[in-house]
Amino acid sequence: MKREEIVEKVNHFLVEDFEINENQLGEDKLITTEIGIDSLDMVDIIVRVNEEFGFKLEKAELLQVKTLGDFYDLLLKHVG
């Protein structure tokens, strides 16, 4: 899977499931402060990633993620 496909899938479920404005989604955006994802949302995102991509993210991995671009790269590492 290519990074562009990951970006498309992630952005789609962030907009649809978490009601995030598409204009807020940028590679350099901080997930917690600029996009507004909290710890409860992250639990839902872990479930959604498992459904969409077929693997489970570890909490320790997510602690390293600061920006949306970091999140895309983490997913690419697992599927690439």
Side-chain angles (χ1 to χ4, degrees):
M1 179 176 288
K2 294 182 181 180
R3 192 172 193 279
E4 295 80 25
E5 294 171 291
I6 292 170
V7 170
E8 185 177 315
K9 283 186 176 200
V10 168
N11 288 356
H12 179 75
F13 73 68
L14 288 176
V15 169
E16 294 299 316
D17 296 350
F18 297 91
E19 299 178 357
I20 295 171
N21 186 320
E22 195 170 352
N23 295 332
Q24 290 179 269
L25 302 177
E27 300 246 353
D28 61 337
K29 298 291 185 177
L30 296 171
I31 290 176
T32 54
T33 57
E34 293 182 285
I35 298 177
I37 299 292
D38 62 22
S39 59
L40 292 176
D41 291 332
M42 287 307 290
V43 172
D44 293 334
I45 287 173
I46 290 170
V47 170
R48 189 62 193 260
V49 165
N50 191 14
E51 292 171 357
E52 289 285 330
F53 299 99
F55 61 88
K56 185 174 181 195
L57 291 171
E58 298 297 325
K59 185 177 179 180
E61 292 176 304
L62 287 173
L63 292 175
Q64 304 300 316
V65 172
K66 303 295 182 218
T67 66
L68 196 52
D70 294 341
F71 187 64
Y72 300 145
D73 291 338
L74 175 62
L75 297 178
L76 183 62
K77 182 178 99 174
H78 282 277
V79 298

